[in-house]
Amino acid sequence: MKKDHSGFFEKVYEVCRQIPEGRVTSYGAIARYLGAARSARMVGWAMNGSKNLEDVPAHRVVNRNGMLTGKSHFGGSDAMAQMLEAEGVAVNDLQIVNFQQYFWDPMKELS
């Protein structure tokens, strides 16, 4: 029997919608905020499933080191980096430059 993750995914999308322009967060930070600290990978699956949700800024979610690991879900192009750079986030070689400067922690921001 397949598990239905749609409730969790919707919670992920709710958090993601609140990430301000020009800021980024990580899969793990969203998982921790939702009380599912070991579910960073599931947050990644949710981001992959958000392709058709224009109100979910999935490009603002990166890995814990600031790497654009989700770039393949943007057509394999540089679209993710371009979207971030258009918001003022510096990206070099698929990594956020000065990651901590741009990091948005939902535990602090949404408490």
Side-chain angles (χ1 to χ4, degrees), residues 23-25 27 58-74 76-85 89-97 99 102:
R23 303 289 300 278
V24 294
T25 196
Y27 305 104
H59 65 284
R60 296 181 188 149
V61 184
V62 297
N63 83 357
R64 64 190 170 124
N65 299 313
M67 294 293 298
L68 309 190
T69 51
K71 83 172 197 81
S72 63
H73 305 295
F74 290 87
S77 66
D78 291 332
M80 185 176 184
Q82 291 169 357
M83 293 167 85
L84 287 167
E85 288 174 336
V89 177
V91 178
N92 184 25
D93 200 23
L94 300 177
Q95 185 161 13
I96 306 292
V97 177
F99 178 50
Y102 298 105

PDB file of all heavy atoms in Angstrom, residues 23-25 27 58-74 76-85 89-97 99 102:
ATOM      1  N   ARG A  23      15.940  35.419  -0.611  1.00  0.00           N
ATOM      2  CA  ARG A  23      16.390  34.567   0.492  1.00  0.00           C
ATOM      3  C   ARG A  23      16.245  33.113   0.071  1.00  0.00           C
ATOM      4  O   ARG A  23      15.484  32.790  -0.844  1.00  0.00           O
ATOM      5  CB  ARG A  23      15.546  34.814   1.751  1.00  0.00           C
ATOM      6  CG  ARG A  23      15.521  36.255   2.234  1.00  0.00           C
ATOM      7  CD  ARG A  23      16.825  36.748   2.840  1.00  0.00           C
ATOM      8  NE  ARG A  23      17.266  36.003   4.012  1.00  0.00           N
ATOM      9  CZ  ARG A  23      16.814  36.211   5.250  1.00  0.00           C
ATOM     10  NH1 ARG A  23      15.901  37.126   5.494  1.00  0.00           N
ATOM     11  NH2 ARG A  23      17.294  35.492   6.248  1.00  0.00           N
ATOM     12  N   VAL A  24      16.960  32.227   0.746  1.00  0.00           N
ATOM     13  CA  VAL A  24      16.879  30.798   0.473  1.00  0.00           C
ATOM     14  C   VAL A  24      16.807  30.034   1.787  1.00  0.00           C
ATOM     15  O   VAL A  24      17.197  30.543   2.838  1.00  0.00           O
ATOM     16  CB  VAL A  24      18.093  30.288  -0.345  1.00  0.00           C
ATOM     17  CG1 VAL A  24      18.107  30.897  -1.735  1.00  0.00           C
ATOM     18  CG2 VAL A  24      19.398  30.539   0.381  1.00  0.00           C
ATOM     19  N   THR A  25      16.305  28.816   1.712  1.00  0.00           N
ATOM     20  CA  THR A  25      16.322  27.923   2.867  1.00  0.00           C
ATOM     21  C   THR A  25      16.741  26.547   2.370  1.00  0.00           C
ATOM     22  O   THR A  25      16.967  26.348   1.180  1.00  0.00           O
ATOM     23  CB  THR A  25      14.962  27.895   3.592  1.00  0.00           C
ATOM     24  OG1 THR A  25      15.142  27.320   4.890  1.00  0.00           O
ATOM     25  CG2 THR A  25      13.898  27.143   2.824  1.00  0.00           C
ATOM     26  N   TYR A  27      16.278  22.115   2.478  1.00  0.00           N
ATOM     27  CA  TYR A  27      15.317  21.033   2.632  1.00  0.00           C
ATOM     28  C   TYR A  27      15.214  20.646   4.108  1.00  0.00           C
ATOM     29  O   TYR A  27      14.133  20.472   4.651  1.00  0.00           O
ATOM     30  CB  TYR A  27      15.741  19.803   1.819  1.00  0.00           C
ATOM     31  CG  TYR A  27      15.969  20.089   0.353  1.00  0.00           C
ATOM     32  CD1 TYR A  27      17.258  20.189  -0.161  1.00  0.00           C
ATOM     33  CD2 TYR A  27      14.900  20.247  -0.521  1.00  0.00           C
ATOM     34  CE1 TYR A  27      17.471  20.441  -1.505  1.00  0.00           C
ATOM     35  CE2 TYR A  27      15.106  20.508  -1.862  1.00  0.00           C
ATOM     36  CZ  TYR A  27      16.395  20.611  -2.348  1.00  0.00           C
ATOM     37  OH  TYR A  27      16.616  20.871  -3.679  1.00  0.00           O
ATOM     38  N   ALA A  58      10.041  27.109  -5.547  1.00  0.00           N
ATOM     39  CA  ALA A  58      10.937  25.979  -5.284  1.00  0.00           C
ATOM     40  C   ALA A  58      12.401  26.333  -5.528  1.00  0.00           C
ATOM     41  O   ALA A  58      13.287  25.714  -4.938  1.00  0.00           O
ATOM     42  CB  ALA A  58      10.535  24.783  -6.145  1.00  0.00           C
ATOM     43  N   HIS A  59      12.656  27.333  -6.349  1.00  0.00           N
ATOM     44  CA  HIS A  59      14.047  27.724  -6.631  1.00  0.00           C
ATOM     45  C   HIS A  59      14.743  28.281  -5.396  1.00  0.00           C
ATOM     46  O   HIS A  59      15.959  28.365  -5.362  1.00  0.00           O
ATOM     47  CB  HIS A  59      14.098  28.750  -7.775  1.00  0.00           C
ATOM     48  CG  HIS A  59      13.462  30.056  -7.468  1.00  0.00           C
ATOM     49  ND1 HIS A  59      12.088  30.229  -7.441  1.00  0.00           N
ATOM     50  CD2 HIS A  59      14.003  31.260  -7.163  1.00  0.00           C
ATOM     51  CE1 HIS A  59      11.824  31.492  -7.137  1.00  0.00           C
ATOM     52  NE2 HIS A  59      12.964  32.135  -6.954  1.00  0.00           N
ATOM     53  N   ARG A  60      13.984  28.627  -4.356  1.00  0.00           N
ATOM     54  CA  ARG A  60      14.554  29.185  -3.126  1.00  0.00           C
ATOM     55  C   ARG A  60      14.913  28.110  -2.109  1.00  0.00           C
ATOM     56  O   ARG A  60      15.296  28.422  -0.978  1.00  0.00           O
ATOM     57  CB  ARG A  60      13.579  30.180  -2.504  1.00  0.00           C
ATOM     58  CG  ARG A  60      13.326  31.384  -3.391  1.00  0.00           C
ATOM     59  CD  ARG A  60      12.383  32.375  -2.750  1.00  0.00           C
ATOM     60  NE  ARG A  60      12.025  33.401  -3.719  1.00  0.00           N
ATOM     61  CZ  ARG A  60      10.867  34.039  -3.742  1.00  0.00           C
ATOM     62  NH1 ARG A  60       9.948  33.766  -2.829  1.00  0.00           N
ATOM     63  NH2 ARG A  60      10.621  34.952  -4.648  1.00  0.00           N
ATOM     64  N   VAL A  61      14.801  26.839  -2.477  1.00  0.00           N
ATOM     65  CA  VAL A  61      15.139  25.735  -1.572  1.00  0.00           C
ATOM     66  C   VAL A  61      16.366  25.014  -2.125  1.00  0.00           C
ATOM     67  O   VAL A  61      16.359  24.534  -3.250  1.00  0.00           O
ATOM     68  CB  VAL A  61      13.956  24.766  -1.404  1.00  0.00           C
ATOM     69  CG1 VAL A  61      14.305  23.681  -0.376  1.00  0.00           C
ATOM     70  CG2 VAL A  61      12.695  25.520  -0.977  1.00  0.00           C
ATOM     71  N   VAL A  62      17.414  24.963  -1.307  1.00  0.00           N
ATOM     72  CA  VAL A  62      18.701  24.390  -1.707  1.00  0.00           C
ATOM     73  C   VAL A  62      19.143  23.377  -0.648  1.00  0.00           C
ATOM     74  O   VAL A  62      18.483  23.224   0.378  1.00  0.00           O
ATOM     75  CB  VAL A  62      19.765  25.504  -1.881  1.00  0.00           C
ATOM     76  CG1 VAL A  62      19.352  26.460  -3.000  1.00  0.00           C
ATOM     77  CG2 VAL A  62      19.988  26.279  -0.593  1.00  0.00           C
ATOM     78  N   ASN A  63      20.281  22.743  -0.864  1.00  0.00           N
ATOM     79  CA  ASN A  63      20.728  21.795   0.158  1.00  0.00           C
ATOM     80  C   ASN A  63      21.407  22.535   1.318  1.00  0.00           C
ATOM     81  O   ASN A  63      21.584  23.747   1.278  1.00  0.00           O
ATOM     82  CB  ASN A  63      21.581  20.674  -0.446  1.00  0.00           C
ATOM     83  CG  ASN A  63      23.041  21.029  -0.644  1.00  0.00           C
ATOM     84  OD1 ASN A  63      23.498  22.140  -0.389  1.00  0.00           O
ATOM     85  ND2 ASN A  63      23.798  20.053  -1.114  1.00  0.00           N
ATOM     86  N   ARG A  64      21.790  21.805   2.328  1.00  0.00           N
ATOM     87  CA  ARG A  64      22.315  22.408   3.568  1.00  0.00           C
ATOM     88  C   ARG A  64      23.617  23.169   3.377  1.00  0.00           C
ATOM     89  O   ARG A  64      24.027  23.934   4.241  1.00  0.00           O
ATOM     90  CB  ARG A  64      22.480  21.350   4.655  1.00  0.00           C
ATOM     91  CG  ARG A  64      23.496  20.297   4.299  1.00  0.00           C
ATOM     92  CD  ARG A  64      23.455  19.138   5.275  1.00  0.00           C
ATOM     93  NE  ARG A  64      24.266  18.059   4.752  1.00  0.00           N
ATOM     94  CZ  ARG A  64      25.255  17.512   5.409  1.00  0.00           C
ATOM     95  NH1 ARG A  64      25.560  17.928   6.616  1.00  0.00           N
ATOM     96  NH2 ARG A  64      25.935  16.530   4.875  1.00  0.00           N
ATOM     97  N   ASN A  65      24.284  22.938   2.243  1.00  0.00           N
ATOM     98  CA  ASN A  65      25.531  23.641   1.945  1.00  0.00           C
ATOM     99  C   ASN A  65      25.340  24.771   0.949  1.00  0.00           C
ATOM    100  O   ASN A  65      26.311  25.371   0.500  1.00  0.00           O
ATOM    101  CB  ASN A  65      26.568  22.652   1.408  1.00  0.00           C
ATOM    102  CG  ASN A  65      26.885  21.573   2.411  1.00  0.00           C
ATOM    103  OD1 ASN A  65      27.110  21.858   3.579  1.00  0.00           O
ATOM    104  ND2 ASN A  65      26.883  20.327   1.972  1.00  0.00           N
ATOM    105  N   GLY A  66      24.094  25.026   0.565  1.00  0.00           N
ATOM    106  CA  GLY A  66      23.820  26.091  -0.390  1.00  0.00           C
ATOM    107  C   GLY A  66      23.972  25.683  -1.837  1.00  0.00           C
ATOM    108  O   GLY A  66      23.994  26.524  -2.728  1.00  0.00           O
ATOM    109  N   MET A  67      24.054  24.381  -2.095  1.00  0.00           N
ATOM    110  CA  MET A  67      24.172  23.894  -3.473  1.00  0.00           C
ATOM    111  C   MET A  67      22.788  23.822  -4.121  1.00  0.00           C
ATOM    112  O   MET A  67      21.815  23.469  -3.473  1.00  0.00           O
ATOM    113  CB  MET A  67      24.797  22.493  -3.504  1.00  0.00           C
ATOM    114  CG  MET A  67      26.238  22.435  -3.055  1.00  0.00           C
ATOM    115  SD  MET A  67      27.403  23.260  -4.151  1.00  0.00           S
ATOM    116  CE  MET A  67      27.206  22.323  -5.653  1.00  0.00           C
ATOM    117  N   LEU A  68      22.737  24.137  -5.406  1.00  0.00           N
ATOM    118  CA  LEU A  68      21.485  24.094  -6.160  1.00  0.00           C
ATOM    119  C   LEU A  68      21.216  22.669  -6.635  1.00  0.00           C
ATOM    120  O   LEU A  68      21.238  22.361  -7.815  1.00  0.00           O
ATOM    121  CB  LEU A  68      21.541  25.047  -7.357  1.00  0.00           C
ATOM    122  CG  LEU A  68      21.967  26.484  -7.102  1.00  0.00           C
ATOM    123  CD1 LEU A  68      21.724  27.331  -8.347  1.00  0.00           C
ATOM    124  CD2 LEU A  68      21.273  27.084  -5.910  1.00  0.00           C
ATOM    125  N   THR A  69      20.949  21.789  -5.685  1.00  0.00           N
ATOM    126  CA  THR A  69      20.759  20.376  -6.008  1.00  0.00           C
ATOM    127  C   THR A  69      19.449  20.131  -6.751  1.00  0.00           C
ATOM    128  O   THR A  69      19.296  19.094  -7.382  1.00  0.00           O
ATOM    129  CB  THR A  69      20.790  19.521  -4.730  1.00  0.00           C
ATOM    130  OG1 THR A  69      19.880  20.071  -3.776  1.00  0.00           O
ATOM    131  CG2 THR A  69      22.190  19.497  -4.136  1.00  0.00           C
ATOM    132  N   GLY A  70      18.516  21.053  -6.690  1.00  0.00           N
ATOM    133  CA  GLY A  70      17.241  20.890  -7.379  1.00  0.00           C
ATOM    134  C   GLY A  70      17.226  21.412  -8.794  1.00  0.00           C
ATOM    135  O   GLY A  70      16.192  21.418  -9.443  1.00  0.00           O
ATOM    136  N   LYS A  71      18.377  21.817  -9.310  1.00  0.00           N
ATOM    137  CA  LYS A  71      18.413  22.452 -10.627  1.00  0.00           C
ATOM    138  C   LYS A  71      17.889  21.549 -11.740  1.00  0.00           C
ATOM    139  O   LYS A  71      17.334  22.030 -12.710  1.00  0.00           O
ATOM    140  CB  LYS A  71      19.813  22.962 -10.958  1.00  0.00           C
ATOM    141  CG  LYS A  71      20.744  21.923 -11.519  1.00  0.00           C
ATOM    142  CD  LYS A  71      22.031  22.580 -11.980  1.00  0.00           C
ATOM    143  CE  LYS A  71      22.792  21.669 -12.886  1.00  0.00           C
ATOM    144  NZ  LYS A  71      22.363  21.640 -14.250  1.00  0.00           N
ATOM    145  N   SER A  72      18.009  20.245 -11.575  1.00  0.00           N
ATOM    146  CA  SER A  72      17.536  19.336 -12.620  1.00  0.00           C
ATOM    147  C   SER A  72      16.025  19.419 -12.805  1.00  0.00           C
ATOM    148  O   SER A  72      15.500  19.083 -13.859  1.00  0.00           O
ATOM    149  CB  SER A  72      17.939  17.898 -12.296  1.00  0.00           C
ATOM    150  OG  SER A  72      17.334  17.478 -11.098  1.00  0.00           O
ATOM    151  N   HIS A  73      15.328  19.881 -11.792  1.00  0.00           N
ATOM    152  CA  HIS A  73      13.872  19.998 -11.866  1.00  0.00           C
ATOM    153  C   HIS A  73      13.439  21.288 -12.554  1.00  0.00           C
ATOM    154  O   HIS A  73      12.252  21.578 -12.653  1.00  0.00           O
ATOM    155  CB  HIS A  73      13.263  19.870 -10.476  1.00  0.00           C
ATOM    156  CG  HIS A  73      13.683  18.599  -9.805  1.00  0.00           C
ATOM    157  ND1 HIS A  73      13.316  17.356 -10.273  1.00  0.00           N
ATOM    158  CD2 HIS A  73      14.486  18.363  -8.754  1.00  0.00           C
ATOM    159  CE1 HIS A  73      13.867  16.428  -9.529  1.00  0.00           C
ATOM    160  NE2 HIS A  73      14.582  17.004  -8.594  1.00  0.00           N
ATOM    161  N   PHE A  74      14.394  22.055 -13.008  1.00  0.00           N
ATOM    162  CA  PHE A  74      14.115  23.279 -13.752  1.00  0.00           C
ATOM    163  C   PHE A  74      14.554  23.096 -15.204  1.00  0.00           C
ATOM    164  O   PHE A  74      15.124  23.991 -15.815  1.00  0.00           O
ATOM    165  CB  PHE A  74      14.840  24.473 -13.110  1.00  0.00           C
ATOM    166  CG  PHE A  74      14.258  24.851 -11.782  1.00  0.00           C
ATOM    167  CD1 PHE A  74      14.687  24.242 -10.617  1.00  0.00           C
ATOM    168  CD2 PHE A  74      13.253  25.801 -11.698  1.00  0.00           C
ATOM    169  CE1 PHE A  74      14.142  24.573  -9.386  1.00  0.00           C
ATOM    170  CE2 PHE A  74      12.696  26.135 -10.470  1.00  0.00           C
ATOM    171  CZ  PHE A  74      13.138  25.522  -9.322  1.00  0.00           C
ATOM    172  N   GLY A  76      16.924  21.109 -16.299  1.00  0.00           N
ATOM    173  CA  GLY A  76      18.338  20.830 -16.468  1.00  0.00           C
ATOM    174  C   GLY A  76      19.135  22.035 -16.933  1.00  0.00           C
ATOM    175  O   GLY A  76      20.303  21.928 -17.258  1.00  0.00           O
ATOM    176  N   SER A  77      18.508  23.176 -16.954  1.00  0.00           N
ATOM    177  CA  SER A  77      19.180  24.385 -17.421  1.00  0.00           C
ATOM    178  C   SER A  77      19.714  25.172 -16.227  1.00  0.00           C
ATOM    179  O   SER A  77      19.727  24.688 -15.104  1.00  0.00           O
ATOM    180  CB  SER A  77      18.187  25.247 -18.195  1.00  0.00           C
ATOM    181  OG  SER A  77      17.183  25.728 -17.315  1.00  0.00           O
ATOM    182  N   ASP A  78      20.112  26.395 -16.488  1.00  0.00           N
ATOM    183  CA  ASP A  78      20.561  27.281 -15.413  1.00  0.00           C
ATOM    184  C   ASP A  78      19.410  28.118 -14.864  1.00  0.00           C
ATOM    185  O   ASP A  78      19.635  29.133 -14.216  1.00  0.00           O
ATOM    186  CB  ASP A  78      21.664  28.213 -15.932  1.00  0.00           C
ATOM    187  CG  ASP A  78      22.953  27.465 -16.235  1.00  0.00           C
ATOM    188  OD1 ASP A  78      23.192  26.424 -15.603  1.00  0.00           O
ATOM    189  OD2 ASP A  78      23.714  27.933 -17.100  1.00  0.00           O
ATOM    190  N   ALA A  79      18.177  27.696 -15.127  1.00  0.00           N
ATOM    191  CA  ALA A  79      17.007  28.488 -14.731  1.00  0.00           C
ATOM    192  C   ALA A  79      16.981  28.762 -13.227  1.00  0.00           C
ATOM    193  O   ALA A  79      16.675  29.878 -12.809  1.00  0.00           O
ATOM    194  CB  ALA A  79      15.721  27.802 -15.167  1.00  0.00           C
ATOM    195  N   MET A  80      17.315  27.761 -12.405  1.00  0.00           N
ATOM    196  CA  MET A  80      17.276  27.949 -10.956  1.00  0.00           C
ATOM    197  C   MET A  80      18.254  29.043 -10.539  1.00  0.00           C
ATOM    198  O   MET A  80      17.903  29.953  -9.785  1.00  0.00           O
ATOM    199  CB  MET A  80      17.577  26.638 -10.237  1.00  0.00           C
ATOM    200  CG  MET A  80      17.445  26.704  -8.735  1.00  0.00           C
ATOM    201  SD  MET A  80      17.711  25.063  -7.997  1.00  0.00           S
ATOM    202  CE  MET A  80      17.363  25.423  -6.282  1.00  0.00           C
ATOM    203  N   ALA A  81      19.474  28.961 -11.039  1.00  0.00           N
ATOM    204  CA  ALA A  81      20.488  29.977 -10.724  1.00  0.00           C
ATOM    205  C   ALA A  81      20.055  31.343 -11.242  1.00  0.00           C
ATOM    206  O   ALA A  81      20.196  32.353 -10.540  1.00  0.00           O
ATOM    207  CB  ALA A  81      21.839  29.589 -11.323  1.00  0.00           C
ATOM    208  N   GLN A  82      19.501  31.381 -12.448  1.00  0.00           N
ATOM    209  CA  GLN A  82      19.060  32.656 -13.027  1.00  0.00           C
ATOM    210  C   GLN A  82      17.939  33.287 -12.207  1.00  0.00           C
ATOM    211  O   GLN A  82      17.916  34.499 -11.999  1.00  0.00           O
ATOM    212  CB  GLN A  82      18.625  32.455 -14.478  1.00  0.00           C
ATOM    213  CG  GLN A  82      19.783  32.134 -15.402  1.00  0.00           C
ATOM    214  CD  GLN A  82      19.329  31.683 -16.784  1.00  0.00           C
ATOM    215  OE1 GLN A  82      18.144  31.547 -17.065  1.00  0.00           O
ATOM    216  NE2 GLN A  82      20.299  31.442 -17.657  1.00  0.00           N
ATOM    217  N   MET A  83      17.007  32.461 -11.726  1.00  0.00           N
ATOM    218  CA  MET A  83      15.898  32.974 -10.913  1.00  0.00           C
ATOM    219  C   MET A  83      16.430  33.559  -9.603  1.00  0.00           C
ATOM    220  O   MET A  83      15.992  34.622  -9.165  1.00  0.00           O
ATOM    221  CB  MET A  83      14.878  31.864 -10.644  1.00  0.00           C
ATOM    222  CG  MET A  83      14.165  31.405 -11.900  1.00  0.00           C
ATOM    223  SD  MET A  83      13.251  29.872 -11.645  1.00  0.00           S
ATOM    224  CE  MET A  83      11.722  30.515 -10.986  1.00  0.00           C
ATOM    225  N   LEU A  84      17.377  32.862  -8.977  1.00  0.00           N
ATOM    226  CA  LEU A  84      17.957  33.354  -7.730  1.00  0.00           C
ATOM    227  C   LEU A  84      18.743  34.641  -7.965  1.00  0.00           C
ATOM    228  O   LEU A  84      18.616  35.604  -7.205  1.00  0.00           O
ATOM    229  CB  LEU A  84      18.842  32.279  -7.092  1.00  0.00           C
ATOM    230  CG  LEU A  84      18.082  31.112  -6.469  1.00  0.00           C
ATOM    231  CD1 LEU A  84      19.026  29.958  -6.155  1.00  0.00           C
ATOM    232  CD2 LEU A  84      17.322  31.555  -5.236  1.00  0.00           C
ATOM    233  N   GLU A  85      19.539  34.656  -9.020  1.00  0.00           N
ATOM    234  CA  GLU A  85      20.340  35.851  -9.318  1.00  0.00           C
ATOM    235  C   GLU A  85      19.442  37.046  -9.628  1.00  0.00           C
ATOM    236  O   GLU A  85      19.759  38.169  -9.258  1.00  0.00           O
ATOM    237  CB  GLU A  85      21.317  35.556 -10.457  1.00  0.00           C
ATOM    238  CG  GLU A  85      22.437  34.644  -9.993  1.00  0.00           C
ATOM    239  CD  GLU A  85      23.368  34.176 -11.099  1.00  0.00           C
ATOM    240  OE1 GLU A  85      22.957  34.146 -12.286  1.00  0.00           O
ATOM    241  OE2 GLU A  85      24.516  33.840 -10.768  1.00  0.00           O
ATOM    242  N   VAL A  89      20.408  37.072  -5.294  1.00  0.00           N
ATOM    243  CA  VAL A  89      21.180  36.034  -4.613  1.00  0.00           C
ATOM    244  C   VAL A  89      22.346  35.642  -5.517  1.00  0.00           C
ATOM    245  O   VAL A  89      22.141  35.206  -6.648  1.00  0.00           O
ATOM    246  CB  VAL A  89      20.311  34.796  -4.300  1.00  0.00           C
ATOM    247  CG1 VAL A  89      21.152  33.695  -3.653  1.00  0.00           C
ATOM    248  CG2 VAL A  89      19.131  35.170  -3.417  1.00  0.00           C
ATOM    249  N   ALA A  90      23.566  35.805  -5.015  1.00  0.00           N
ATOM    250  CA  ALA A  90      24.755  35.480  -5.806  1.00  0.00           C
ATOM    251  C   ALA A  90      24.954  33.970  -5.869  1.00  0.00           C
ATOM    252  O   ALA A  90      24.917  33.295  -4.841  1.00  0.00           O
ATOM    253  CB  ALA A  90      25.978  36.151  -5.188  1.00  0.00           C
ATOM    254  N   VAL A  91      25.164  33.464  -7.086  1.00  0.00           N
ATOM    255  CA  VAL A  91      25.386  32.039  -7.314  1.00  0.00           C
ATOM    256  C   VAL A  91      26.657  31.882  -8.135  1.00  0.00           C
ATOM    257  O   VAL A  91      26.849  32.578  -9.130  1.00  0.00           O
ATOM    258  CB  VAL A  91      24.198  31.400  -8.072  1.00  0.00           C
ATOM    259  CG1 VAL A  91      24.465  29.923  -8.350  1.00  0.00           C
ATOM    260  CG2 VAL A  91      22.899  31.579  -7.307  1.00  0.00           C
ATOM    261  N   ASN A  92      27.516  30.964  -7.694  1.00  0.00           N
ATOM    262  CA  ASN A  92      28.741  30.671  -8.438  1.00  0.00           C
ATOM    263  C   ASN A  92      28.926  29.163  -8.474  1.00  0.00           C
ATOM    264  O   ASN A  92      28.957  28.518  -7.425  1.00  0.00           O
ATOM    265  CB  ASN A  92      29.948  31.343  -7.780  1.00  0.00           C
ATOM    266  CG  ASN A  92      31.222  31.142  -8.572  1.00  0.00           C
ATOM    267  OD1 ASN A  92      31.191  30.928  -9.776  1.00  0.00           O
ATOM    268  ND2 ASN A  92      32.348  31.192  -7.889  1.00  0.00           N
ATOM    269  N   ASP A  93      29.055  28.613  -9.667  1.00  0.00           N
ATOM    270  CA  ASP A  93      29.285  27.178  -9.832  1.00  0.00           C
ATOM    271  C   ASP A  93      28.230  26.354  -9.087  1.00  0.00           C
ATOM    272  O   ASP A  93      28.553  25.440  -8.328  1.00  0.00           O
ATOM    273  CB  ASP A  93      30.698  26.815  -9.385  1.00  0.00           C
ATOM    274  CG  ASP A  93      31.173  25.485  -9.959  1.00  0.00           C
ATOM    275  OD1 ASP A  93      30.639  25.064 -11.006  1.00  0.00           O
ATOM    276  OD2 ASP A  93      32.069  24.873  -9.349  1.00  0.00           O
ATOM    277  N   LEU A  94      26.962  26.724  -9.277  1.00  0.00           N
ATOM    278  CA  LEU A  94      25.801  26.042  -8.692  1.00  0.00           C
ATOM    279  C   LEU A  94      25.769  26.070  -7.161  1.00  0.00           C
ATOM    280  O   LEU A  94      25.188  25.188  -6.525  1.00  0.00           O
ATOM    281  CB  LEU A  94      25.703  24.600  -9.195  1.00  0.00           C
ATOM    282  CG  LEU A  94      25.546  24.438 -10.701  1.00  0.00           C
ATOM    283  CD1 LEU A  94      25.529  22.965 -11.084  1.00  0.00           C
ATOM    284  CD2 LEU A  94      24.290  25.138 -11.199  1.00  0.00           C
ATOM    285  N   GLN A  95      26.386  27.073  -6.566  1.00  0.00           N
ATOM    286  CA  GLN A  95      26.368  27.215  -5.110  1.00  0.00           C
ATOM    287  C   GLN A  95      26.099  28.672  -4.741  1.00  0.00           C
ATOM    288  O   GLN A  95      26.609  29.585  -5.374  1.00  0.00           O
ATOM    289  CB  GLN A  95      27.688  26.763  -4.498  1.00  0.00           C
ATOM    290  CG  GLN A  95      27.653  26.793  -2.975  1.00  0.00           C
ATOM    291  CD  GLN A  95      28.745  25.940  -2.359  1.00  0.00           C
ATOM    292  OE1 GLN A  95      29.669  25.499  -3.013  1.00  0.00           O
ATOM    293  NE2 GLN A  95      28.631  25.704  -1.075  1.00  0.00           N
ATOM    294  N   ILE A  96      25.292  28.858  -3.677  1.00  0.00           N
ATOM    295  CA  ILE A  96      24.997  30.199  -3.176  1.00  0.00           C
ATOM    296  C   ILE A  96      26.284  30.779  -2.586  1.00  0.00           C
ATOM    297  O   ILE A  96      26.929  30.147  -1.751  1.00  0.00           O
ATOM    298  CB  ILE A  96      23.913  30.174  -2.070  1.00  0.00           C
ATOM    299  CG1 ILE A  96      22.642  29.452  -2.547  1.00  0.00           C
ATOM    300  CG2 ILE A  96      23.614  31.575  -1.570  1.00  0.00           C
ATOM    301  CD1 ILE A  96      21.861  30.134  -3.603  1.00  0.00           C
ATOM    302  N   VAL A  97      26.654  31.974  -3.022  1.00  0.00           N
ATOM    303  CA  VAL A  97      27.819  32.664  -2.475  1.00  0.00           C
ATOM    304  C   VAL A  97      27.369  33.314  -1.164  1.00  0.00           C
ATOM    305  O   VAL A  97      26.308  33.930  -1.106  1.00  0.00           O
ATOM    306  CB  VAL A  97      28.326  33.739  -3.466  1.00  0.00           C
ATOM    307  CG1 VAL A  97      29.498  34.506  -2.882  1.00  0.00           C
ATOM    308  CG2 VAL A  97      28.699  33.096  -4.799  1.00  0.00           C
ATOM    309  N   PHE A  99      26.269  31.837   1.614  1.00  0.00           N
ATOM    310  CA  PHE A  99      25.004  31.152   1.896  1.00  0.00           C
ATOM    311  C   PHE A  99      24.331  31.665   3.173  1.00  0.00           C
ATOM    312  O   PHE A  99      23.130  31.929   3.176  1.00  0.00           O
ATOM    313  CB  PHE A  99      25.258  29.647   1.960  1.00  0.00           C
ATOM    314  CG  PHE A  99      24.066  28.801   2.297  1.00  0.00           C
ATOM    315  CD1 PHE A  99      22.868  28.946   1.614  1.00  0.00           C
ATOM    316  CD2 PHE A  99      24.148  27.839   3.293  1.00  0.00           C
ATOM    317  CE1 PHE A  99      21.771  28.144   1.913  1.00  0.00           C
ATOM    318  CE2 PHE A  99      23.061  27.042   3.605  1.00  0.00           C
ATOM    319  CZ  PHE A  99      21.865  27.195   2.909  1.00  0.00           C
ATOM    320  N   TYR A 102      22.129  34.781   3.012  1.00  0.00           N
ATOM    321  CA  TYR A 102      20.828  34.665   2.355  1.00  0.00           C
ATOM    322  C   TYR A 102      19.903  33.660   3.038  1.00  0.00           C
ATOM    323  O   TYR A 102      18.732  33.558   2.688  1.00  0.00           O
ATOM    324  CB  TYR A 102      21.007  34.239   0.893  1.00  0.00           C
ATOM    325  CG  TYR A 102      21.787  35.225   0.079  1.00  0.00           C
ATOM    326  CD1 TYR A 102      23.106  34.963  -0.287  1.00  0.00           C
ATOM    327  CD2 TYR A 102      21.216  36.419  -0.333  1.00  0.00           C
ATOM    328  CE1 TYR A 102      23.832  35.867  -1.039  1.00  0.00           C
ATOM    329  CE2 TYR A 102      21.935  37.333  -1.087  1.00  0.00           C
ATOM    330  CZ  TYR A 102      23.239  37.048  -1.432  1.00  0.00           C
ATOM    331  OH  TYR A 102      23.955  37.954  -2.178  1.00  0.00           O
TER     332      TYR A 102
END
